[in-house]
Amino acid sequence: MPLVTRVTDLIGRTPLFELATTATGTRLLLKLEQFNPTGAAKIRMARAMIDDAERRGLLGDGGHIIESTSGNTGLGLAVVAAERGYRFTAVVDHHACKDKLRAMRAMGAELVYVADDGDDNLATSAREDLAEAMAAGQSDAYFTEQHNNDANAVGYYAVAEELLEDVERVDILLSAVGTGGSLFGTATRLRQLGCTPRVIGVEPVGSIAFGGPGGPYWQSGTGTPPGATIGTAVDYSLLDEGVKVSDVAAFATARAVAAELGLMIGGSAGGSVHAALTRLEEFPPGSTVVTLVCDGGEKYLDTVFDDEWMRERDLLDTATERDVHTMLDRYAPTRRDQLVEAR
């Protein structure tokens, strides 16, 4: 690792982790984006959106960045703003993880809430409306509008480049869809580089991007809740299949992966991993399946990994956790099995 002078110089070159392998040689690889600064993938697109705004003259010296965020985009923008001397206001709700909000504030961000204390409902639409209105009322402000910003997807092109440096090909790219930037930006660049994977998007039950009835859900930073507009970063022309995973299954998977392997992944990543594990044997033999793990689980110690919080919301399901443990054992890569046997 070279000596660097800016936190954003540490973005990228995140590791691949082989989580599972079938008897027919299909592998499930996790791109561990929590090894980026802020512990999330979204710092990639935060930097790309500000680079783009600067190139187009939309941000001047000492300008004011405004964004609606559930946390990880805001963390990335807070880093970029601190480095480049911008003000940053994050429009948030109480559905967001408290540690993400605390970290944004620690890095100098101003937090503006759209809901009162005690209201922990997801308020994506209200957040975006307020952020847009705030930016329109200030001459030096720029609303990054992550859901409809072309630079969002461009920020993830490097993910595709990194993947093809590490593996010969990607046959299935399966990941959570929030803004859509990480999945579709990676898929776009893979195609540009001559690799055309099957693209499978994952959203929570209750999200509306892939159709079906809308409803509440607890997976953070992913999906499109009822009442919110599906952004332009969701590129249906690249989508081969959209699937839905319940909060119970997503969180049980994150908890099982942590307990089985000591690997902490976020709740929405748990949904992607659950979708991949349950279908792994359906994919052609010898397939390389890649899931983007967009953040780690350490930010969710007071939610996904807290039994009381889970029980209060009827999300704790030990049977589903056992099922995930069974799949992890069944598909354990040979090297991991050998290590267990050696002990």
Side-chain angles (χ1 to χ4, degrees):
M1 173 69 71
L3 180 68
V4 300
T5 57
R6 299 177 301 179
V7 170
T8 52
D9 291 334
L10 299 170
I11 295 172
R13 294 306 313 145
T14 54
L16 273 177
F17 181 85
E18 186 175 352
L19 181 72
T21 305
T22 69
T24 61
T26 292
R27 299 183 298 164
L28 173 58
L29 308 181
L30 308 184
K31 181 69 165 163
L32 298 180
E33 288 290 286
Q34 65 262 50
F35 285 88
N36 282 303
T38 72
K42 287 191 173 182
I43 194 170
R44 293 183 187 262
M45 65 98 141
R47 180 177 62 178
M49 291 192 299
I50 300 308
D51 285 346
D52 177 69
E54 290 174 344
R55 281 193 298 267
R56 295 194 288 143
L58 300 175
L59 265 174
D61 291 344
H64 187 184
I65 301 165
I66 300 176
E67 180 57 274
S68 158
T69 176
S70 59
N72 282 330
T73 300
L75 288 170
L77 288 170
V79 171
V80 178
E83 286 186 345
R84 304 188 188 186
Y86 297 122
R87 292 172 56 205
F88 171 50
T89 297
V91 181
V92 299
D93 54 39
H94 294 285
H95 187 274
C97 169
K98 291 181 177 62
D99 282 343
K100 295 179 186 177
L101 301 176
R102 294 185 188 110
M104 279 190 279
R105 188 179 287 114
M107 290 187 285
E110 175 193 15
L111 303 187
V112 174
Y113 288 85
V114 296
D116 296 329
D117 285 342
D119 180 356
D120 57 3
N121 290 306
L122 183 59
T124 303
S125 184
R127 289 197 327 249
E128 291 175 354
D129 289 346
L130 179 56
E132 183 177 15
M134 289 175 62
Q138 302 177 43
S139 60
D140 67 340
Y142 175 60
F143 175 30
T144 42
E145 198 178 1
Q146 58 178 312
H147 289 269
N148 298 297
N149 190 321
D150 291 344
N152 176 345
V154 173
Y156 295 102
Y157 283 10
V159 176
E161 295 161 8
E162 292 169 22
L163 286 172
L164 294 183
E165 289 175 5
D166 293 335
V167 295
E168 181 179 341
R169 67 185 191 279
V170 177
D171 298 301
I172 293 98
L173 183 65
L174 183 155
S175 193
V177 173
T179 67
S182 59
L183 178 62
F184 297 112
T186 302
T188 295
R189 185 61 177 149
L190 284 172
R191 287 192 173 195
Q192 292 172 354
L193 295 171
C195 176
T196 306
R198 177 174 178 80
V199 177
I200 302 175
V202 182
E203 69 175 349
V205 172
S207 173
I208 62 171
F210 303 146
Y217 57 86
W218 287 103
Q219 293 173 63
S220 177
T222 190
T224 305
T229 301
I230 299 169
T232 57
V234 178
D235 189 345
Y236 291 104
S237 70
L238 295 174
L239 183 71
D240 292 298
E241 183 181 359
V243 300
K244 295 176 183 286
V245 176
S246 70
D247 290 339
V248 167
F251 295 168
T253 302
R255 290 164 62 95
V257 169
E260 180 98 3
L261 303 174
L263 176 64
M264 300 285 287
I265 64 176
S268 64
S272 298
V273 171
H274 188 272
L277 284 172
T278 54
R279 302 184 58 184
L280 205 55
E281 292 184 343
E282 299 176 15
F283 299 131
S287 294
T288 297
V289 184
V290 172
T291 290
L292 307 179
V293 174
C294 288
D295 74 346
E298 291 83 357
K299 298 168 185 172
Y300 307 99
L301 295 176
D302 59 350
T303 55
V304 175
F305 297 97
D306 184 281
D307 287 0
E308 184 177 352
W309 185 92
M310 292 279 288
R311 196 174 289 111
E312 287 174 353
R313 290 157 181 80
D314 200 25
L315 298 172
L316 194 62
D317 190 326
T318 55
T320 303
E321 289 185 36
R322 284 197 299 271
D323 289 343
V324 177
H325 279 287
T326 299
M327 288 189 286
L328 292 171
D329 291 340
R330 181 191 312 150
Y331 298 132
T334 303
R335 290 181 299 280
R336 189 183 303 148
D337 279 346
Q338 291 172 343
L339 287 171
V340 172
E341 290 170 3
R343 288 197 296 268

